[in-house]
Amino acid sequence: MHGAGGKIIRCRMDVLEEVYSFYDGFKGEKGVFGFSEEGRPLVYFLAGKGDALVVDQKHQQVLLAQYAMHAREYVTAYVALEEIKYLSERDIEGSVYVLPLVNPDGVRIALTRDKLWKANAKGVDLNVNFDARWGTGAQNKRTAGASDYIGEYPFSAAESAALRNFTLRVMPDMTVSYHTKGEEIYWYFYQQGERAERDRALAEAAASLTGYAVRTPFSSAGGYKDWCVEKLSIPALTIEAGADWLPHPIGKERAAEIFRKNKDVPLELIRRLKT
């Protein structure tokens, strides 16, 4: 745009604009898997062998990575864009779905009204709105607000319902959820025996790449990871990226460092799922 005296003023795009601009220009496989409460598109990108509905899944592994479910954690959306560029340049023995912006309405609130906002536009915390011992978490709330509200019922939020439907559509062999902060990796949700051994080993593989610590919390419920583990019986990780001393929201300037530590996580997990 032009300012006084005809000087060109360059407007910096925010994270929503960057995601949607990247989507418009992306030449690979991509799509819309749903819409937010306020009607914003929920987009995905695909790297690897191709759409799991077209390619015989018996001959490939499918990983789904989702980002920016919590609004104030939108730095992970920047990381997602770098990840899809990185993966698109590599030969992947499988398919990786990247969902960079699961909560666009909430991110808009965090950018414009309340920088510590985590929930969606209706005050539902998406990561406690899944059908996995819903409503039993230690920090769950029963009223709408910036965080921890479980919603009226599981999948009451448009975004969590869309993510559920897309997950069931592509039926991944594993999911990874990127949050901030603390540099920790969560994997456990009451699985036992060989499943627990398998899932912890995958968490430790991610930890070896990132330098993050593997943790086993027992007080959460209703999360996407929890639902994947309990209802789909697949391994699922929650990766809390970014050093714990960084304040919320973590700025875009930290995205490159987070990406550097995490860029090979999808590739390594795909490799280990094949063995």
Side-chain angles (χ1 to χ4, degrees):
M1 63 179 290
H2 290 80
K7 181 182 290 186
I8 295 176
I9 301 174
R10 300 191 183 279
C11 298
R12 181 179 178 182
M13 289 193 295
D14 66 29
V15 63
L16 275 78
E17 293 166 332
E18 287 204 32
V19 168
Y20 292 133
S21 176
F22 183 91
Y23 179 84
D24 289 341
F26 186 71
K27 302 303 182 184
E29 293 191 55
K30 61 186 178 181
V32 174
F33 68 92
F35 293 88
S36 70
E37 295 285 359
E38 295 183 341
R40 293 184 173 90
L42 307 176
V43 301
Y44 72 87
F45 303 91
L46 178 60
K49 297 301 183 184
D51 195 317
L53 294 181
V54 177
V55 178
D56 186 348
Q57 292 191 61
K58 293 180 180 178
H59 302 295
Q60 68 162 327
Q61 300 297 318
V62 177
L63 184 138
L64 187 156
Q66 62 96 5
Y67 304 72
M69 174 175 278
H70 282 151
R72 71 186 187 188
E73 300 165 15
Y74 56 80
V75 68
T76 61
Y78 291 117
V79 176
L81 297 185
E82 293 304 312
E83 188 67 51
I84 189 61
K85 287 188 285 187
Y86 180 72
L87 293 175
S88 296
E89 297 172 350
R90 273 145 186 86
D91 183 21
I92 305 172
E93 290 300 317
S95 297
V96 180
Y97 289 92
V98 176
L99 285 53
L101 190 62
V102 172
N103 185 11
D105 300 349
V107 171
R108 174 58 64 205
I109 293 171
L111 290 171
T112 60
R113 286 169 33 198
D114 182 349
K115 68 179 184 179
L116 297 182
W117 192 267
K118 293 175 68 177
N120 75 350
K122 291 189 174 181
V124 177
D125 187 325
L126 301 179
N127 209 35
V128 291
N129 190 233
F130 286 79
D131 184 18
R133 311 195 186 200
W134 176 81
T136 65
Q139 297 182 357
N140 286 172
K141 295 178 181 177
R142 303 285 170 170
T143 55
S147 67
D148 301 313
Y149 172 48
I150 62 176
E152 294 183 7
Y153 50 86
F155 307 115
S156 62
E159 299 87 354
S160 56
L163 180 54
R164 172 201 61 194
N165 294 343
F166 185 70
T167 304
L168 293 175
R169 173 197 165 201
V170 303
M171 287 305 295
D173 297 282
M174 183 175 185
T175 67
V176 179
S177 300
Y178 272 94
H179 291 259
T180 63
K181 56 190 172 109
E183 297 193 332
E184 296 179 332
I185 299 175
Y186 307 142
W187 63 277
Y188 178 75
F189 196 70
Y190 303 103
Q191 64 268 59
Q192 301 293 327
E194 292 183 0
R195 285 182 56 212
E197 293 177 8
R198 173 200 65 184
D199 297 358
R200 183 175 182 94
L202 290 165
E204 289 174 346
S208 68
L209 289 172
T210 59
Y212 296 175
V214 175
R215 302 295 189 204
T216 310
F218 293 91
S219 60
S220 66
Y224 178 62
K225 166 188 69 68
D226 307 333
W227 176 72
C228 290
V229 169
E230 185 169 79
K231 302 300 185 181
L232 304 185
S233 299
I234 61 173
L237 304 182
T238 293
I239 299 182
E240 296 282 355
D244 199 39
W245 59 266
L246 293 169
H248 284 303
I250 297 175
K252 180 182 180 180
E253 69 277 3
R254 297 288 178 178
E257 177 187 358
I258 294 172
F259 167 68
R260 178 179 57 79
K261 291 183 177 182
N262 286 273
K263 64 181 182 179
D264 289 318
V265 168
L267 297 173
E268 178 64 14
L269 294 176
I270 283 281
R271 186 186 72 80
R272 287 178 177 263
L273 286 169
K274 287 180 66 68
T275 59

